[in-house]
Amino acid sequence: MSLNVELKSVARHYGRVKAVDGVSFSGAPGEVIALVGHNGAGKTTLIKLMLGLARPTAGSVAVLGQDPAAGDAAVRRRLGYLPETVSFNPALTGRETLWFYVRLKGGRKGEENALLERIGLAHAADRRIGTYSKGMRQRLGLAQAMIGTPAVLLLDEPTTGLDPELRQQFYAIVREMQAAGTTVLLSSHALNELEGNASRVVILNEGCKIADGTLDELRHIAQLPTRIRLKTTEGGAGRLREWMGEPAGLRQINGHIVEIDATPEDKAAFLRRAAGEGAPFEDLDMVPPGLDELYAHFLSGRASR
Amino acid sequence: MKTILLLSTKEMREGLRNRWVVAATGLLAALALTLTFLGSAPTGTVGAGALDVVVISLASLTIFIVPLIALLISHDAIVGEIERGTMTLLLSYPVRRRQVLLGKFLGHLAILAFATCVGYGLAAIALLVTGKAMIGAGSWAAFMTMTASSVLLGAVFVAIGYLVSALVADRATAGGIAIGIWLVFVVLYDMALLGLLVADQGRAVSGGTLDALLLFNPTDAYRLLNLAGSGDIATASGMAGTIQTAALAPAALLAALAAWVVAPMALAALAFSRREL
């Protein structure tokens, strides 16, 4: 399968600042790749490198088989981009703005109307953008990125400032694009929302890639413990602790809730035992390590090296 | 070409929606009409034709107002879009940077041309409607030249505004520099030149040097083109003396103005193409 996006040991330095340093990854059609990192980790610079707005100091970038800095119009037409902050002219209406971008990209006649419908902005299409809410502006931004059903979609912090419902709608559209074979690259620092939405996560720190893989793979590498929370009857915590054999790291939350951190191996053994007769608890919750924990793990691993 | 036209159409539409077109046209029309009626009041029996007086007044007005309007609409053309984040977006489309620059230029020029032609045209129409004076063909030619060269002067300052916009890091700086440029070309340059001539007493500064110095300021080239252009107007404007010493043909002045458009545009394109977003 040909790759839509391919970065080979790409570096971009601004003077002495290494915004991106030796990053390699690739994106196949139908993949949703999340670029995760703190502010200033190099996410936006990577996206600009893929857009050809910045040239790499070293290494090579290929988008749809071409160097994006060459500005090949055929490649640009198959590329969608949503900047981190974009403020469209508030004096124009949503439809006028989208019409302009459709024309600029050589899109179908009337495509702006279809997109406005799809993005749920049809009712406000003829209002000035100055009257739009933050979420509506962000949706308009996404609509212009979707013109011409791009093969590569680059979204810079697309969900920042969106409420949970809009976030869900947004990821539903991303999944549609993914199903149509689009490679979606999105940067984020809100990690929890990527669960189930990103097929791969690339963790960046200070311009370097520190982890790359599916969430499951990353969890496996990190060997992070699963938090198991047990609930018993009021005052039954003592008996519960006894039954569990007072493991190290046990935390008593209150009179009837205790928590332990179980490594992947311990977890299975514990669950087999808990399934037996006479286990003194009423309810059990398991919280697998979230992206926040994963991220913290990889970052601390980096720091201690 | 289609892309450039699309970009300029968008620029014009934004100008209309932002009331720039209305404001500029209204300002020019109001000032032109005022000058027409104030200026034509005393000319009844004087040798100067009514339209000639209007041309002189409007040319002097243009030198102050048109560069200001041009700089105001152009100074944030590039840096403003970069700050708003629309430039990175625009450049992710199949658009070249010089197309962006040219498209904006055509759009802004169209706005200026509209404002100038309508504003000054209204003054001429008002004169026709109210005045009984006969207006000669020569006066009409001078009026047309004045209007067309006013647009050209606007183009010069739009180009200069783009150069500033392509070079500076933020909009506020661009605005400050634009006002500085306006002051230098419209006010300070001529004052300095006058001071130099007075202090020199005609010893070192020859006529040729003065001509060259006048070409280095587009507003002076415009002034010479319009106020010293034809005999009648030159007499009425008091520039006849200059004409005899200055050996600058209208063609040379037009060429100077054109160069003042092309050179800043080329530099702006260069600066913009090298700029990392």
Side-chain angles (χ1 to χ4, degrees):
Chain A
M1 191 155 45
S2 67
L3 293 169
N4 277 347
V5 178
E6 197 168 17
L7 280 79
K8 286 182 188 155
S9 10
V10 171
R12 172 68 224 191
H13 301 169
Y14 294 96
R16 289 175 60 194
V17 182
K18 294 176 176 175
V20 169
D21 202 28
V23 172
S24 306
F25 66 85
S26 56
E31 255 192 309
V32 177
I33 301 167
L35 298 172
V36 172
H38 290 308
N39 291 330
K43 294 168 295 186
T44 300
T45 307
L46 268 179
I47 287 179
K48 283 186 176 170
L49 284 163
M50 288 183 265
L51 283 169
L53 293 177
R55 284 167 197 271
T57 313
S60 71
V61 184
V63 174
L64 299 166
Q66 301 264 348
D67 174 11
D72 185 17
V75 171
R76 293 258 158 110
R77 245 175 237 120
R78 299 177 59 207
L79 195 74
Y81 169 52
L82 174 62
E84 184 178 353
T85 48
V86 60
S87 39
F88 298 112
N89 191 318
L92 301 183
T93 68
R95 198 191 303 280
E96 283 170 337
T97 302
L98 210 50
W99 174 88
F100 167 74
Y101 286 113
V102 167
R103 287 285 306 275
L104 204 56
K105 219 172 193 171
R108 296 190 319 274
K109 202 160 179 258
E111 188 177 357
E112 68 271 16
N113 300 326
L115 281 171
L116 284 164
E117 196 73 49
R118 185 168 170 194
I119 212 85
L121 271 184
H123 65 285
D126 294 311
R127 264 165 52 194
R128 294 191 311 112
I129 293 174
T131 67
Y132 281 21
S133 68
K134 161 97 188 167
M136 291 162 82
R137 280 176 217 189
Q138 197 71 1
R139 275 189 276 172
L140 186 63
L142 185 61
Q144 66 73 29
M146 287 159 63
I147 295 168
T149 323
V152 175
L153 199 53
L154 303 170
L155 310 170
D156 200 354
E157 307 264 351
T159 56
T160 312
L162 293 189
D163 59 43
E165 195 194 338
L166 282 176
R167 238 172 244 199
Q168 293 299 323
Q169 288 179 11
F170 168 80
Y171 280 111
I173 289 168
V174 167
R175 277 192 296 273
E176 280 175 39
M177 301 289 282
Q178 179 187 17
T182 303
T183 304
V184 183
L185 268 130
L186 58 95
S187 75
S188 180
H189 53 227
L191 299 136
N192 293 326
E193 67 187 51
L194 297 175
E195 199 95 43
N197 289 321
S199 42
R200 241 172 72 216
V201 177
V202 173
I203 299 181
L204 295 164
N205 184 44
E206 289 173 3
C208 300
K209 184 172 92 169
I210 55 174
D212 180 357
T214 65
L215 282 174
D216 284 342
E217 280 169 5
L218 293 187
R219 283 206 183 92
H220 190 73
I221 297 168
Q223 288 285 308
L224 287 177
T226 300
R227 203 166 70 212
I228 299 178
R229 175 179 278 213
L230 297 164
K231 201 170 157 194
T232 177
T233 48
E234 193 62 51
R239 210 162 67 84
L240 183 60
R241 290 174 67 155
E242 219 169 276
W243 173 80
M244 288 167 76
E246 301 281 348
L250 181 138
R251 295 182 298 276
Q252 183 151 358
I253 307 295
N254 57 29
H256 57 115
I257 294 176
V258 292
E259 260 185 18
I260 55 161
D261 289 331
T263 60
E265 301 86 67
D266 293 351
K267 188 174 64 183
F270 177 82
L271 284 178
R272 271 194 288 278
R273 205 174 146 222
E277 285 292 322
F281 62 85
E282 294 186 325
D283 197 9
L284 178 151
D285 279 323
M286 285 208 307
V287 186
L291 274 166
D292 286 320
E293 283 97 350
L294 266 181
Y295 184 44
H297 170 85
F298 282 107
L299 276 188
S300 65
R302 185 89 194 165
S304 63
R305 217 176 293 157
Chain B
M1 196 63 217
K2 205 184 112 196
T3 306
I4 295 176
L5 279 179
L6 184 63
L7 287 162
S8 57
T9 314
K10 176 154 188 280
E11 212 60 52
M12 282 186 264
R13 185 182 287 200
E14 287 181 359
L16 276 172
R17 206 59 65 77
N18 296 341
R19 313 265 191 277
W20 258 119
V21 177
V22 179
T25 311
L27 180 69
L28 286 178
L31 287 171
L33 286 170
T34 312
L35 284 177
T36 305
F37 290 116
L38 286 181
S40 61
T43 54
T45 54
V46 187
L51 193 60
D52 289 346
V53 174
V54 169
V55 168
I56 294 161
S57 319
L58 285 185
S60 307
L61 169 78
T62 301
I63 289 169
F64 281 90
I65 300 294
V66 169
L68 192 62
I69 295 175
L71 285 169
L72 280 177
I73 58 178
S74 66
H75 78 272
D76 83 339
I78 294 167
V79 74
E81 286 228 26
I82 291 174
E83 271 186 23
R84 285 191 293 273
T86 39
M87 190 59 89
T88 43
L89 184 60
L90 194 57
L91 294 178
S92 77
Y93 277 75
V95 178
R96 303 222 162 250
R97 294 193 185 196
R98 54 168 191 276
Q99 289 178 317
V100 173
L101 203 62
L102 267 178
K104 281 179 172 293
F105 181 74
L106 289 182
H108 283 152
L109 193 61
I111 293 175
L112 265 179
F114 178 83
T116 312
C117 293
V118 171
Y120 292 180
L122 280 178
I125 290 169
L127 204 61
L128 270 183
V129 172
T130 57
K132 287 138 289 203
M134 289 290 288
I135 295 170
S139 297
W140 277 116
F143 180 80
M144 298 293 181
T145 309
M146 189 275 298
T147 309
S149 58
S150 298
V151 178
L152 185 58
L153 185 69
V156 168
F157 282 90
V158 168
I160 293 174
Y162 289 165
L163 178 56
V164 173
S165 202
L167 287 172
V168 301
D170 60 86
R171 291 170 75 184
T173 316
I177 293 177
I179 290 173
I181 284 176
W182 180 81
L183 268 178
V184 166
F185 280 137
V186 174
V187 183
L188 298 178
Y189 190 94
D190 289 353
M191 274 167 62
L193 197 57
L194 210 59
L196 176 73
L197 290 176
V198 169
D200 185 62
Q201 296 288 334
R203 283 190 295 266
V205 180
S206 66
T209 317
L210 180 62
D211 287 349
L213 285 173
L214 288 174
L215 290 183
F216 270 110
N217 182 346
T219 62
D220 280 330
Y222 171 87
R223 197 193 314 264
L224 281 178
L225 184 67
N226 285 296
L227 298 189
S230 70
D232 287 350
I233 287 182
T235 313
S237 63
M239 292 285 275
T242 322
I243 287 188
Q244 280 149 20
T245 48
L248 293 168
L253 295 168
L254 280 175
L257 283 173
W260 268 105
V261 177
V262 174
M265 276 299 277
L267 288 175
L270 186 69
F272 185 32
S273 70
R274 293 198 170 171
R275 185 164 183 158
E276 189 139 319
L277 297 168

